[in-house]
Amino acid sequence: MPCKITFTGVSPLQFEVPSEYCSNGLQAKEYISDVYGMKLSPANYYLVHDGLSVSDSSPLQSGATYGACIRLCGGKGGFGSMLRAMGSQIEKTTNTESCRDLSGRRMRDVNNEKKVLEYMKNKAANDKEKERKKLENLEKKLEKPKHYFNDPEYEAQIELNSKKVDDSIKKGMLAKKRKQELDAASKPKKVRPSIFDDLSSDDDDSSSSDDDNDDVTTTVMKTSVKGDGEAGCSSSSTANSEDDCKSNASK
């Protein structure tokens, strides 16, 4: 059963190729050029079947329909160099923590979960290793030193120096205490004034002022006022009798 080759376009062309010429694509192209007078070279087009390109060495299926697509000339070039330049500008990173897996979870969460599980598995072993190291350190510290320092004269000198330091400190404290006692004894004690002292001073001032007033009134009353009748008698007649006063008045 022959196969068919169709050239798509405004006016599509379809050619039938016998099954004996369908052993490969190149043979079918040559048959079309020889029989139908196709001026288009077999190298300038390629065959397509079910959306896939068919190479010239591939056999063609009898009864199948193939499409012929004309090859187009390429551009001016430089596309590869442009891609290389763009690739150098793009920053490459290996951090995929923000990506998601097929279940929609963040990769950072998945990795953290794995780290936690691994830590929990190794926790017991790590704790045992820490305890072992602690015991080793304690044993090393408790071991007796290999080198001993034994100098009785040096030890006696250290003990004597410590005693001298203690004695000098005690003597200094006693001397300071005695000096403070002597200073306290030489200084007069200050009497703190109280409110009762102020009241007593006010009472003394008032009593002295009353005495002064009494003296003034006594002096004034002793002055003799001579004139009418019994004016010669003064208030100081308390020391004289009434008769003496009358006799002085008659005179």
Side-chain angles (χ1 to χ4, degrees):
M1 191 173 180
C3 62
K4 297 179 180 179
I5 296 176
T6 304
F7 288 85
T8 58
V10 179
S11 56
L13 299 175
Q14 190 173 24
F15 302 97
E16 290 185 358
V17 180
S19 58
E20 56 270 14
Y21 293 98
C22 293
S23 59
N24 55 49
L26 181 59
Q27 189 176 5
K29 289 179 182 179
E30 291 176 352
Y31 174 80
I32 293 172
S33 298
D34 295 339
V35 175
Y36 296 101
M38 178 68 67
K39 296 181 179 180
L40 186 63
S41 174
N44 292 334
Y45 66 95
Y46 61 94
L47 302 179
V48 178
H49 180 67
D50 293 336
L52 299 175
S53 62
V54 179
S55 64
D56 292 340
S57 60
S58 298
L60 303 181
Q61 298 178 4
S62 60
T65 302
Y66 292 87
C69 298
I70 300 173
R71 299 181 187 275
L72 300 177
C73 297
K76 65 181 184 58
F79 186 68
S81 61
M82 184 178 66
L83 290 177
R84 285 191 294 273
M86 290 177 62
S88 63
Q89 295 176 0
I90 297 172
E91 295 182 359
K92 296 180 181 180
T93 180
T94 57
N95 186 7
T96 58
E97 296 292 327
S98 298
C99 299
R100 295 180 183 272
D101 59 0
L102 296 177
S103 61
R105 298 179 63 193
R106 294 279 185 186
M107 293 304 297
R108 72 167 65 93
D109 298 335
V110 176
N111 294 334
N112 291 335
E113 186 177 352
K114 290 180 181 178
K115 290 178 181 178
V116 171
L117 292 174
E118 187 176 357
Y119 171 77
M120 295 301 295
K121 288 180 181 178
N122 300 329
K123 185 178 179 182
N126 293 333
D127 293 341
K128 289 181 180 179
E129 185 67 20
K130 287 180 181 179
E131 291 294 333
R132 187 182 64 79
K133 289 182 178 180
K134 285 183 180 179
L135 291 174
E136 288 180 356
N137 292 330
L138 289 174
E139 289 176 357
K140 288 181 180 179
K141 291 178 180 179
L142 293 174
E143 287 179 357
K144 293 182 179 180
K146 297 180 181 179
H147 302 283
Y148 294 95
F149 180 78
N150 189 8
D151 191 353
E153 185 178 355
Y154 176 73
E155 293 177 357
Q157 187 68 26
I158 290 175
E159 187 176 358
L160 181 61
N161 290 336
S162 63
K163 288 181 180 179
K164 286 181 179 179
V165 170
D166 294 338
D167 294 339
S168 60
I169 291 171
K170 289 179 181 179
K171 288 179 181 179
M173 293 177 68
L174 289 173
K176 185 177 180 180
K177 187 175 181 181
R178 288 175 184 173
K179 186 178 179 182
Q180 290 177 354
E181 290 176 356
L182 292 173
D183 293 340
S186 61
K187 290 181 180 180
K189 294 182 179 180
K190 293 182 179 180
V191 180
R192 296 180 63 184
S194 63
I195 57 174
F196 299 105
D197 296 337
D198 296 337
L199 293 175
S200 62
S201 63
D202 293 338
D203 293 338
D204 294 339
D205 294 339
S206 62
S207 62
S208 62
S209 62
D210 292 338
D211 294 339
D212 293 338
N213 292 331
D214 293 340
D215 294 338
V216 170
T217 53
T218 304
T219 305
V220 170
M221 292 180 68
K222 280 183 179 181
T223 57
S224 59
V225 181
K226 291 183 180 182
D228 298 336
E230 297 178 355
C233 293
S234 62
S235 62
S236 61
S237 60
T238 55
N240 301 324
S241 62
E242 292 180 359
D243 296 338
D244 294 334
C245 183
K246 289 180 180 181
S247 64
N248 290 331
S250 64
K251 289 179 181 180

